[in-house]
Amino acid sequence: MRRQPDKKPQPAPAPPPASTLAWIRPALLALTAILLLTWFTGEIADTDIWLHLMTGRHTLEHRALTVPDPFCYTSNITSPAFPGEVKTRYFNLTHEWLAQIVMYLIHAATGFPGLVLMRAILLIVFCGLVGLMVWWRTAGFYRSLAAVVAAGAVAINFQQSRPFLITFLFLAVTMAVLERRRWMWALPAVFLIWANCHGGYFMGWVMLGAYCLEALIQRVPWARQRQLWLVTIACFLISGVNPNGFRVIEIMLKYRSSGIQSTNIEWQYPAFWEPSGYSFVLFGALVMLVLSWRKTRPVDWILYFVFGAASLLAVRNTILMGLVGAVLLFAYVPPLKRVFPAIAAAALVVAIGLAVASGHAFQLRAAEWMLPSGAAGFLSTHQVAGRMFNTYENGGYLVWRLWPVQKDFIDPRGLSEQAYIDYGHILNNDPAPGQSAQEILRRYGIEVLVMGGFDRFSGQVYNIAAALADPAQKEWKLVQFDDKGVVFMRRPPAGVQVLNSLEALHSIEMQCRQQVEHEPGHSACLNGVTTLYNTIGDRGLASRWMAYYSTRAR
């Protein structure tokens, strides 16, 4: 048989020119950084910011923690509604003191642009550490880049300028140090700062415990795991150097007994079944762990199930999977061999374009459109000192503008359970057992009401605002209104013109139109206004708002 000649081996494809690789990866990294900037530089719409700034300023000026609370007159005048309320109140007043001072100093030096940029930097570093950990595990550039974007897709829901950003960053730092096992003795210093910036530092204990448990499971020789255990013990002990000691776990459990916290949207269960960045990393990480189970490490399963379970308990915890889930997903995903630089660059450019087109990028300011600045200006001009009732989300801003002449009735710190219960009765014009809403107002000695017209999430119009707009009621007089709220008073100051109370309904309409303009995704107020006019029997206005609702609601 005639022997076939051996085929000549085919030459390997030539690698891309070094000059191409030299610029494409930095270019992709730059595009990713720009994308994250567009995602994380939205305006400051979280009204908690005002209380953080006010607390930071007060702490600096008085060289003491804000205990008892100087800003809310109901925080100490009601009896505890559940065991542990006093401890919970103290925790809420003190656990973020260091972060609040830093926030105030940044604002004092740079205004809101500095706070927005600081928030963006912290979240970008958080996402960058996720990508770095994937790089350490895989040396895969595109997998690392994808992990950064996936982490960002979860973190975009947390772009509030609040102390919890410290927990996100330091939790990522802790995981990165434990993955690399370098700079281990820097962690106690991290925990000392962390424990005085935000109560989430106890999640760092969980992270340390997961790596210690892995060492035990793998039966790592003591000489090799000694440093890990010593650092863990040091981090735990030094984190007790804070105003609340080691009480944080106790407080977290008591939060579940708090009516304020249990009804707060941040503490509700997340909709994990809906398509989102969170559900992508939650389920994607699990799929990759199962498919790659032979290659996984014990710590991967521990981290996934512990932090995954925590993320399912509350909306505010979903960021945990933006860290752990993104790392595990892309640490085990097959190499992205078919992802070409041009495709990756095009995808990033499109994402940047969409973010910019949304109008929420590079907004280095506070969301003034949603703040009762006109009401605050009126009260300040006329030096109104009578006790004020205010809506929950605006308490901090009013204190920032009016303290010490005015204190608020309630604010997002949620310091009095009984005041919160009474707040609901007043707002809904719903009688409490044995008392009407008006009688509750008299019990607190309230002389001024500063109100928005509706809940920005549910869209439900506040019944008390509609009731006070009724010309038949004579006890409260409308003295100021605009597209951000209304002011009613029992006894207006001399020289202040009393307005037609029906203008309060006009204010609610203006507020809703502004809400739809600025946040089309939260346009439920359209249905709320329609329901209001149906309730009071104005079919013409109800029909007009229903038509508006059908074209604008999402």
Side-chain angles (χ1 to χ4, degrees):
M1 179 180 292
R2 186 176 178 182
R3 185 175 182 273
Q4 294 291 332
D6 293 336
K7 292 183 179 180
K8 292 184 179 180
Q10 296 295 319
S19 58
T20 301
L21 291 178
W23 68 266
I24 191 62
R25 289 191 173 185
L28 290 175
L29 287 173
L31 287 172
T32 303
I34 294 171
L35 174 62
L36 296 180
L37 271 176
T38 63
W39 281 356
F40 300 148
T41 51
E43 64 185 359
I44 298 178
D46 181 15
T47 51
D48 285 13
I49 185 69
W50 306 101
L51 287 167
H52 293 309
L53 295 176
M54 194 68 191
T55 303
R57 186 177 84 181
H58 192 279
T59 303
L60 273 178
E61 291 175 350
H62 292 80
R63 300 294 191 271
L65 299 175
T66 51
V67 180
D69 173 41
F71 306 130
C72 178
Y73 66 84
T74 63
S75 60
N76 294 298
I77 66 173
T78 57
S79 300
F82 71 93
E85 181 179 342
V86 174
K87 291 181 179 179
T88 302
R89 180 183 303 137
Y90 183 87
F91 180 84
N92 288 340
L93 288 171
T94 59
H95 78 105
E96 298 168 325
W97 70 272
L98 182 56
Q100 289 165 333
I101 288 177
V102 173
M103 291 172 67
Y104 173 70
L105 291 175
I106 292 173
H107 179 267
T110 67
F112 287 106
L115 288 173
V116 173
L117 290 175
M118 179 56 65
R119 170 228 294 166
I121 290 170
L122 293 177
L123 289 174
I124 288 172
V125 174
F126 168 82
C127 296
L129 287 171
V130 169
L132 187 61
M133 284 185 275
V134 173
W135 171 260
W136 288 339
R137 286 191 174 212
T138 68
F141 177 79
Y142 291 105
R143 281 179 283 183
S144 303
L145 206 64
V148 171
V149 175
V154 181
I156 194 172
N157 297 313
F158 294 86
Q159 58 164 327
Q160 297 97 357
S161 297
R162 291 167 58 178
F164 63 18
L165 296 177
I166 297 297
T167 284
F168 305 161
L169 175 63
F170 283 176
L171 191 61
V173 168
T174 302
M175 186 175 177
V177 170
L178 292 172
E179 280 285 304
R180 202 64 168 172
R181 297 298 169 91
R182 294 182 180 176
W183 297 92
M184 291 283 287
W185 284 106
L187 284 180
V190 168
F191 272 74
L192 177 61
I193 297 171
W194 190 355
N196 288 280
C197 286
H198 188 254
Y201 67 90
F202 73 93
M203 296 305 297
W205 298 347
V206 178
M207 184 70 72
L208 288 162
Y211 282 85
C212 288
L213 182 56
E214 180 187 48
L216 291 177
I217 293 172
Q218 294 181 329
R219 297 183 179 180
V220 176
W222 172 248
R224 289 175 51 198
Q225 61 173 299
R226 179 175 55 191
Q227 184 187 50
L228 172 62
W229 283 93
L230 292 176
V231 168
T232 297
I233 293 170
C235 289
F236 176 79
L237 293 176
I238 201 167
S239 61
V241 183
N242 71 80
N244 295 279
F246 297 102
R247 196 179 295 157
V248 60
I249 299 298
E250 176 189 356
I251 299 301
M252 293 300 105
L253 295 175
K254 292 184 183 301
Y255 271 176
R256 290 297 176 181
S257 302
S258 165
I260 300 175
Q261 301 300 337
S262 62
T263 57
N264 192 314
I265 191 171
E266 294 182 7
W267 290 97
Q268 305 308 303
Y269 297 118
F272 60 87
W273 57 88
E274 296 180 354
S276 65
Y278 166 64
S279 60
F280 172 70
V281 296
L282 177 69
F283 293 113
L286 180 59
V287 168
M288 294 314 306
L289 285 173
V290 171
L291 292 177
S292 308
W293 66 274
R294 292 181 183 276
K295 299 185 295 183
T296 57
R297 295 163 44 189
V299 75
D300 297 335
W301 295 96
I302 298 167
L303 291 175
Y304 180 82
F305 284 111
V306 172
F307 286 93
S311 75
L312 291 169
L313 292 176
V315 171
R316 65 179 291 146
N317 293 343
T318 55
I319 188 69
L320 299 176
M321 292 310 292
L323 170 62
V324 172
V327 170
L328 298 179
L329 169 58
F330 290 98
Y332 292 108
V333 77
L336 304 177
K337 294 179 180 179
R338 298 185 180 182
V339 176
F340 298 101
I343 296 176
L348 289 170
V349 169
V350 169
I352 292 169
L354 291 174
V356 172
S358 72
H360 297 300
F362 306 115
Q363 296 181 316
L364 309 182
R365 60 177 183 266
E368 295 285 348
W369 63 271
M370 63 190 301
L371 299 171
S373 53
F378 174 88
L379 297 178
S380 178
T381 298
H382 296 283
Q383 288 294 294
V384 175
R387 275 192 174 177
M388 173 178 67
F389 175 85
N390 59 275
T391 43
Y392 179 87
E393 61 274 10
N394 289 328
Y397 175 76
L398 292 170
V399 164
W400 175 260
R401 288 287 306 274
L402 302 173
W403 189 84
V405 175
Q406 280 286 359
K407 297 183 179 182
D408 64 37
F409 178 87
I410 197 167
D411 57 53
R413 294 172 301 174
L415 300 176
S416 169
E417 297 289 331
Q418 185 58 54
Y420 184 74
I421 293 170
D422 290 335
Y423 169 77
H425 289 303
I426 295 170
L427 207 60
N428 297 314
N429 203 29
D430 174 34
Q435 280 191 317
S436 68
Q438 293 298 329
E439 288 171 331
I440 298 173
L441 288 169
R442 293 190 198 102
R443 172 158 56 86
Y444 281 101
I446 292 169
E447 297 290 327
V448 186
L449 294 100
V450 181
M451 299 193 55
F454 51 84
D455 182 271
R456 293 187 182 275
F457 293 97
S458 69
Q460 180 180 355
V461 173
Y462 298 137
N463 291 340
I464 188 66
L468 296 179
D470 185 353
Q473 76 84 22
K474 303 298 182 183
E475 185 172 1
W476 294 93
K477 286 82 174 176
L478 180 67
V479 293
Q480 191 273 338
F481 77 94
D482 55 22
D483 58 0
K484 301 172 184 175
V486 297
V487 178
F488 282 93
M489 298 185 68
R490 290 187 193 274
R491 289 174 286 275
V496 172
Q497 180 183 2
V498 175
L499 307 175
N500 185 339
S501 60
L502 288 173
E503 294 290 359
L505 299 181
H506 182 212
S507 173
I508 294 174
E509 292 186 23
M510 290 192 294
Q511 292 173 57
C512 185
R513 290 184 185 276
Q514 184 163 240
Q515 173 77 18
V516 174
E517 176 186 345
H518 286 273
E519 293 187 345
H522 293 133
S523 55
C525 66
L526 296 171
N527 187 50
V529 175
T530 301
T531 301
L532 166 67
Y533 284 125
N534 273 322
T535 301
I536 64 180
D538 193 326
R539 305 302 179 193
L541 280 175
S543 298
R544 191 175 75 187
W545 276 89
M546 177 56 74
Y548 187 35
Y549 175 72
S550 65
T551 58
R552 299 298 299 272
R554 298 183 182 180

